[in-house]
């Protein structure tokens, strides 16, 4: 496994509209979460955004960040997830 | 840096392909809970389980949240109760089952395994008491699972116990007749039972295991099926390679969760059981996965070959992903818990005899199979004997979890609900094996047991 830092991957899937990135990044700013990288594309008509973020001292499980992101997704017809990066490293890196 | 493709592949595995961690099972040794009275022994058992597993469910939920990975079950396995209760002087062990049930409920886990005995070479007095207590124990408890090891490659087959278990299974069915014989769904008999299996109903903590240990069972037939959809028409070498890669990724998730649970609970990590465990949900079926190999319906010719290859490729991918692989590890083929198996059994494509052949090459055995309620005990023992022989003589684990449903016959079906699913009643060969089963005694260990 690569070095373990407190980072996470946020994904947003759904229909493109104005203000998705603004909404998510505004929310992250409230938690003092820094965005390291953003990529976005349209795949099969689905807006797909992947964000790499530095959680610093925020714990995914002990804060309400997951619920807040889910609510943002529900309000805007988007599927939003946040997952610790270790999961992806475990699956895709030897 | 992770690529977008990798991130999305992972997301889709969880959202569309039903990937989950099937169970975090905490094994707890109850060796130090033996006492000279059953009351004292039960008190120690309850206290110890609460002490060790009190935080299990909460920890599982926290890990699930951190990685956004579903962890379906949190469970407990314990030392076989026939060993723990032996010194207590009790003549019936139902109260031990009730104690396990209460502890499971108070910890918030949905199953606790270990109302068990290891009798492959013969009975102790305590084993006898435990086995006779099974029908009542499973009728009055909700969460307790029972397993009996009847045979091993080293010891041969205890045919007295095979005979007795036919009667016990019938009794367990009768005692829970009002609930479609649910008692039998919580009872499994084994050859070569693994001591670290995290899956129910067969989980118990073997005598060689540590004080307390975390074992994790993974799932993911949907992920493997999805991967195979991308290589339709390619040769079987490509199929094997594809299964291996999918199994590797699934196992790595299990390993991550297991290590994290172990660290948080301060309990050593035991093994990953890298089984493909189906559920009745559409898209989470081992039968449909086998059909993806190119079979019209599971149970037709070619099914055994496809299953053999699948099972082997899962193990090869999984062992690369984790150094500590154990338990049953392979593909499960329970009938009632698998949407595609149910369909194949209902249409007549999947017969009991074919399932028996399939158990020669996969990880468990005849699992969650409903048969007519009027099947004689000796016929059930005959089914068990055949399955024990497959395990004993082929040096592998096999098991039988069979449900003779009172009042029902071929053409009927039975609904257990939840993950236990539903099952059509399957036809059983009605020629008698009573005289064979009536002989009793032991089938000697096979020649290849002498490996020293």
């Amino acid at each position: 496994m690569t070095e373990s830092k407190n980072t996470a991957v946020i994904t947003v899937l759904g229909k493109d509209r104005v203000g998705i990135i603004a909404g998510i990044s505004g929310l992250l700013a409230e938690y003092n979460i820094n965005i390291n990288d953003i990529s976005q594309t349209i795949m099969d008509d689905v807006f797909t955004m992947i964000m790499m973020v530095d959680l610093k001292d925020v714990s995914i499980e002990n804060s309400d960040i997951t619920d807040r992101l889910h609510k943002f997704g529900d309000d805007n017809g988007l599927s939003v997830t946040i997952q610790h990066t270790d999961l992806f490293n475990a699956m895709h890196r030897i | 840096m992770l690529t977008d493709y990798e991130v999305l592949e992972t997301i889709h595995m969880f959202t569309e392909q039903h990937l989950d961690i099937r169970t975090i099972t905490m094994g707890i040794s109850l060796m130090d809970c033996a006492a000279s009275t059953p009351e004292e022994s039960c008190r120690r058992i309850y206290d110890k389980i609460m002490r060790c597993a009190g935080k299990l469910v909460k920890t599982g939920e926290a890990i699930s949240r951190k990685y956004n990975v579903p962890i379906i079950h949190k469970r407990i396995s314990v030392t076989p109760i026939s060993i723990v209760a032996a010194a207590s002087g009790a003549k019936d062990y139902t109260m031990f089952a009730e104690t396990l049930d209460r502890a499971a409920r108070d910890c918030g886990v949905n199953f606790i395994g270990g109302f068990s005995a290891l009798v492959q070479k013969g009975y102790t007095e305590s084993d006898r008491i435990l086995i006779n207590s099974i029908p009542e124990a499973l009728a009055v408890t909700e969460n307790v699972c029972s397993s009996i090891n009847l045979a091993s490659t080293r010891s041969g087959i205890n045919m007295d116990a095979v005979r007795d278990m036919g009667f016990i299974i019938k009794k367990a069915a009768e005692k829970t007749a009002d609930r479609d014989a649910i008692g039998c769904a919580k009872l499994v008999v084994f050859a070569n039972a693994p001591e670290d299996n995290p899956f129910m109903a067969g989980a118990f903590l073997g005598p060689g295991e540590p004080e307390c240990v975390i074992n994790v069972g993974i799932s993911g037939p949907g992920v493997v099926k999805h991967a195979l959809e991308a290589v339709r028409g390619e040769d079987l070498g490509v199929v094997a390679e594809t299964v291996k890669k999918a199994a590797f990724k699934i196992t790595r998730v299990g390993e991550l969760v297991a290590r994290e649970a172990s660290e948080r609970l301060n309990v050593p990590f035991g093994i990953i059981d890298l089984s493909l465990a189906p559920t009745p949900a559409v898209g989470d079926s081992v039968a449909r996965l086998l059909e993806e190999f190119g079979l019209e319906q599971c149970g037709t010719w070619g099914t055994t070959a496809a299953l053999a290859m699948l099972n082997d490729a899962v193990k090869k991918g999984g062992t690369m992903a984790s150094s500590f692989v154990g338990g049953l590890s392979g593909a499960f083929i329970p009938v009632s818990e698998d949407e595609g198996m149910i369909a194949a059994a209902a249409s007549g494509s999947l017969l009991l005899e074919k399932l028996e052949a399939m158990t020669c090459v996969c990880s468990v055995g005849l699992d969650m199979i409903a048969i007519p309620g009027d099947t004689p005990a000796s016929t059930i023992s005959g089914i068990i004997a055949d399955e024990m022989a497959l395990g004993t003589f082929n040096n592998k684990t096999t098991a039988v979890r069979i449900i003779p449903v009172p009042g029902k016959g071929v053409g009927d079906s039975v609904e257990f609900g939840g993950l236990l699913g539903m099952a059509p009643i399957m036809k059983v060969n009605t020629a008698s094996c009573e005289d064979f089963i009536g002989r009793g005694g032991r089938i000697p260990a096979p020649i290849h047991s002498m490996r020293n």
Side-chain angles (χ1 to χ4, degrees), chain B residues 39-349:
Chain B
E39 292 75 18
E40 175 59 15
S41 185
C42 284
R43 192 187 62 75
R44 290 183 188 182
I45 288 171
Y46 179 84
D47 289 350
K48 180 150 191 197
I49 293 172
M50 293 308 290
R51 195 166 67 243
C52 295
K55 287 187 189 149
L56 175 62
V57 171
K58 225 175 135 189
T59 304
E61 284 166 359
I63 296 170
S64 178
R65 210 168 149 81
K66 177 174 177 185
Y67 298 112
N68 196 23
V69 169
I71 300 173
I72 309 295
H73 302 299
K74 292 73 157 178
R75 291 170 166 173
I76 297 168
S77 64
V78 297
T79 308
I81 290 297
S82 75
I83 299 173
V84 182
S88 72
K91 295 295 168 224
D92 181 287
Y93 290 166
T94 305
M95 80 178 277
F96 286 87
E98 288 170 325
T99 302
L100 295 177
D101 203 36
R102 190 160 55 90
R105 213 170 29 242
D106 293 351
C107 288
V109 301
N110 64 352
F111 276 123
I112 184 163
F115 197 74
S116 305
L118 312 175
V119 302
Q120 58 269 25
K121 211 162 176 185
Y123 287 131
T124 63
E125 270 314 305
S126 185
D127 294 335
R128 223 181 274 280
I129 297 170
L130 181 121
I131 286 175
N132 288 327
S133 306
I134 288 174
E136 178 69 12
L138 295 182
V140 300
T141 59
E142 291 282 325
N143 309 309
V144 175
C145 289
S146 176
S147 54
I148 307 293
N149 194 56
L150 300 177
S152 75
T153 300
R154 277 300 172 103
S155 307
I157 307 174
N158 179 349
M159 288 297 287
D160 289 333
V162 168
R163 178 195 59 215
D164 295 345
M165 286 312 292
F167 287 104
I168 294 293
I169 288 170
K170 289 280 282 185
K171 259 194 217 163
E174 283 155 19
K175 285 242 179 212
T176 50
D178 57 330
R179 285 168 281 160
D180 278 329
I182 187 86
C184 296
K186 299 181 285 180
L187 171 59
V188 58
V189 294
F190 275 112
N192 294 320
E195 302 198 351
D196 50 10
N197 161 29
F199 285 102
M200 297 295 168
F204 65 89
L205 189 75
E209 294 283 307
E211 183 70 18
C212 190
V213 65
I214 289 289
N215 297 320
V216 166
I218 57 167
S219 177
V223 174
V224 180
K225 179 173 187 303
H226 179 83
L228 290 185
E229 283 168 8
V231 296
R232 278 186 185 154
E234 305 258 13
D235 83 36
L236 292 168
V238 175
V239 172
E241 191 61 25
T242 306
V243 173
K244 268 165 57 181
K245 283 182 184 156
F248 174 85
K249 289 173 188 167
I250 297 170
T251 309
R252 293 283 280 196
V253 180
E255 165 106 359
L256 176 72
V257 168
R259 291 206 177 273
E260 181 125 8
S262 150
E263 203 170 290
R264 288 181 185 217
L265 290 161
N266 199 20
V267 167
F269 157 55
I271 55 97
I272 301 289
D273 189 321
L274 45 97
S275 288
L276 295 183
T279 70
V282 172
D284 207 16
S285 158
V286 169
R288 298 294 182 205
L289 168 53
L290 292 172
E291 288 164 8
E292 186 58 44
F293 278 65
L295 307 169
E296 183 184 346
Q297 189 156 36
C298 182
T300 190
W301 301 111
T303 302
T304 310
L307 179 59
M309 198 182 124
L310 170 68
N311 205 54
D312 185 62
V314 166
K315 285 181 195 166
K316 285 172 177 163
T319 46
M320 174 80 184
S322 173
S323 292
F324 298 99
V325 171
L328 296 161
S329 285
F332 291 175
I333 52 168
V335 174
S336 78
E337 299 173 356
D338 184 310
E339 171 268 324
M341 292 283 175
I342 296 167
S347 78
S349 170

Side-chain angles (χ1 to χ4, degrees), chain B residues 298-299 303 335 341 344-345 347-352 354-355 358 426:
Chain B
C298 182
T303 302
V335 174
M341 292 283 175
S347 78
S349 170
L350 182 63
L351 304 174
L352 207 41
K354 186 63 178 180
L355 274 166
M358 290 162 73
M426 296 182 83

Side-chain angles (χ1 to χ4, degrees), chain B residues 24-35:
Chain B
I24 299 183
T25 302
M26 177 182 273
I28 303 172
S29 167
L30 300 182
M31 290 292 193
D32 55 352
C33 299

